[in-house]
């Protein structure tokens, strides 16, 4: 079906629906109606949103699109905060955190995963092939081997060099928007109007061995409800976890807030909880079932990608601190 023939997502809500009731979803599914697909993703990763967006245009599911989209950055060795080439912890271990959610609300996550570039794909296998939601460390690695993922070295020449340099001073100081903030979180709506999300990261550079951030924590780094919308986070995981920000945003959207209003409220909570909020970045992006998008963060400098109607753009986020 051609896009011009699509019934635009917004039109479906013109009659005042803020969430699609189960019965209405069933009618939509059984009819030939189709939604205009959308992908949004944290930071400026045009190749990732392009990949996901093109897949959606071809009719892929939101779940496949978010997985394939974030995999682009996991494989990008120039990105020092996701997948292969991600900065190690202070003991030299590269450990990845990732999670994924499907429109049914199922979730899979891995934490402290070594030796696998595509943490998001291992997380998807956890969701689909195990009775669990999250696997950690050695067990996650063992499970990845059992699922046929080959063992890989994640430390690259460049990340080793940067780590060797860091060891000279061993100074642990997250740099706002730069050194520690390039996690990719992605939300997609497919042609059925279903939402899926994924989040993947190597976490904070030179973190303590064993540290896990918000990115793989369902409700913190990612949350979605297919009746309402979804949210993903990036930035200082410790602050995001304390506020369970992504869950909060989805619940606020359920109560009628726009994605923008909900993201702002979640950032205000973080500011209230953390007197040192000027020293770190935290950012959220969100999307509701209408395809409306919002974003808010503490510091200037955060942006996100939006792919819609073959247009892949980078959008500067509104922020709290002037
Ligand atoms: C973490 N939230 O591990 C991640 C870091 C991040 O962009 O978002 N970097 O705390």
């Amino acid at each position: 079906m051609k896009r011009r023939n699509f019934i635009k997502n917004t039109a479906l809500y013109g009659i005042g629906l803020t969430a699609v009731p189960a019965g209405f979803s069933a009618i939509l599914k059984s009819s030939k109606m189709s939604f205009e697909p959308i992908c949004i993703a944290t930071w400026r990763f045009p190749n990732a949103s392009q990949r996901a967006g093109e897949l959606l245009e071809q009719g892929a599911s939101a779940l496949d699109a978010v997985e394939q989209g974030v995999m682009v950055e996991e494989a990008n060795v120039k990105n020092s905060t996701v997948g292969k080439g991600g900065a190690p912890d202070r003991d030299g271990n590269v450990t990845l955190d990732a999670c994924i959610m499907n429109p049914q609300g199922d979730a899979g996550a891995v934490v402290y995963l070594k030796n696998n570039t595509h943490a998001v794909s291992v997380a998807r296998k956890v969701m689909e092939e195990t009775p669990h939601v999250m696997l950690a460390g050695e067990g996650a690695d063992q499970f990845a081997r059992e699922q046929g993922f080959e063992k890989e070295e994640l430390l690259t020449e460049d990340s080793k060099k940067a780590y060797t340099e860091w060891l000279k001073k061993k100074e642990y100081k997250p740099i706002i928007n730069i050194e520690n903030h390039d996690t990719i979180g992605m939300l997609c709506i497919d042609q059925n109007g279903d939402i899926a999300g994924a989040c993947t990261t190597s976490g904070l550079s030179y973190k303590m061995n064993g540290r896990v951030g918000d990115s793989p924590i369902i409700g913190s780094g990612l949350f979605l409800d297919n009746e309402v919308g979804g949210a993903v986070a990036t930035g200082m995981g410790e602050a995001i976890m304390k506020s369970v920000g992504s869950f909060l945003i989805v619940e606020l959207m359920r109560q009628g807030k726009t994605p923008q209003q909900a993201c702002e409220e979640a950032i205000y909570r973080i500011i209230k909880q953390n007197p040192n909020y000027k020293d770190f970045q935290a950012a959220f992006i969100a999307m509701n079932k209408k395809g409306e998008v919002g974003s808010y963060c503490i510091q200037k400098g955060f942006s996100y990608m939006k792919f819609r109607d073959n247009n892949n753009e980078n959008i500067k986020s509104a922020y709290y601190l002037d």
Side-chain angles (χ1 to χ4, degrees):
M1 183 186 284
K2 292 255 159 50
R3 188 177 306 104
R4 64 176 164 272
N5 294 331
F6 285 178
I7 291 179
K8 293 276 198 285
N9 311 6
T10 43
L12 293 166
Y13 292 85
I15 53 176
L17 288 170
T18 53
V20 179
F24 191 65
S25 298
I27 293 165
L28 278 180
K29 286 228 167 74
S30 64
S31 75
K32 289 269 187 284
M33 288 192 213
S34 192
F35 282 73
E36 182 179 48
I38 307 172
C39 168
I40 58 169
T42 53
W43 300 104
R44 192 187 194 98
F45 296 129
N47 295 339
S49 50
Q50 183 74 29
R51 171 86 179 126
E54 281 174 2
L55 284 169
L56 292 168
E57 296 280 349
Q58 290 159 18
S61 69
L63 184 64
D64 286 341
V66 290
E67 181 188 9
Q68 294 288 324
V70 301
M71 281 172 72
V72 171
E73 281 313 309
E74 288 182 331
N76 176 7
V77 291
K78 296 268 177 252
N79 183 336
S80 64
T81 53
V82 180
K84 196 179 176 101
D89 65 22
R90 57 189 65 177
D91 295 331
N93 309 296
V94 183
T95 66
L96 306 183
D97 298 337
C99 71
I100 192 162
M101 283 188 82
N102 70 16
Q104 290 72 43
D106 300 320
V110 287
V111 302
Y112 198 87
L113 179 72
K114 292 180 180 174
N115 308 316
N116 298 273
T117 298
H118 294 300
V120 72
S121 302
V122 184
R124 182 169 175 175
K125 289 286 183 193
V126 172
M127 176 174 77
E128 293 177 343
E129 306 294 338
T130 80
H132 307 305
V133 167
M134 182 181 283
L135 291 178
E138 212 178 291
D141 199 33
Q142 181 188 330
F143 171 70
R145 289 315 138 255
E146 286 164 10
Q147 290 296 316
F149 292 90
E150 275 177 26
K151 186 170 177 166
E152 294 169 88
E153 176 56 70
L154 300 185
L155 203 60
T156 60
E157 278 311 308
D158 281 351
S159 58
K160 203 191 281 181
K161 224 161 103 187
Y163 173 59
T164 310
E165 203 47 44
W166 180 82
L167 280 175
K168 288 181 186 162
K169 283 191 179 166
K170 290 193 178 175
E171 201 177 31
Y172 181 68
K173 198 163 183 262
I175 301 171
I176 292 161
N177 285 333
I178 307 170
E179 185 188 345
N180 295 303
H181 298 288
D182 279 329
T183 292
I184 182 160
M186 182 179 280
L187 296 164
C188 287
I189 298 184
D190 62 26
Q191 292 183 13
N192 291 325
D194 290 325
I195 302 181
C199 193
T200 179
T201 188
S202 54
L204 299 182
S205 309
Y206 317 126
K207 61 195 174 186
M208 287 176 71
N209 183 15
R211 183 263 186 192
V212 171
D214 62 301
S215 304
I217 309 296
I218 303 302
S220 289
L222 164 72
F223 192 71
L224 64 87
D225 182 324
N226 200 35
E227 304 277 297
V228 179
V232 285
T234 179
M236 187 59 72
E238 282 68 10
I240 295 162
M241 277 193 276
K242 285 194 289 180
S243 71
V244 200
S246 293
F247 179 75
L248 173 65
I249 289 168
V250 173
E251 290 311 301
L252 290 170
M253 291 195 295
R254 191 193 306 280
Q255 290 162 22
K257 291 220 189 291
T258 64
Q260 184 60 36
Q261 289 167 337
C263 287
E264 288 176 16
E265 177 62 32
I267 289 294
Y268 297 149
R269 297 269 179 106
I270 288 180
I271 287 168
K272 216 167 143 193
Q273 278 181 320
N274 297 275
N276 65 334
Y277 69 88
K278 288 186 181 162
D279 300 335
F280 62 84
Q281 176 66 296
F284 293 101
I285 60 173
M287 180 159 68
N288 65 16
K289 281 287 272 188
K290 293 184 228 181
E292 291 171 339
V293 167
S295 153
Y296 203 57
C297 58
I298 300 177
Q299 319 271 349
K300 186 178 178 180
F302 172 65
S303 66
Y304 65 97
M305 297 303 305
K306 179 176 168 189
F307 183 104
R308 184 175 202 168
D309 202 9
N310 269 319
N311 182 32
N312 193 26
E313 56 179 333
N314 182 253
I315 300 169
K316 285 196 170 87
S317 174
Y319 52 92
Y320 179 76
L321 277 177
D322 266 328

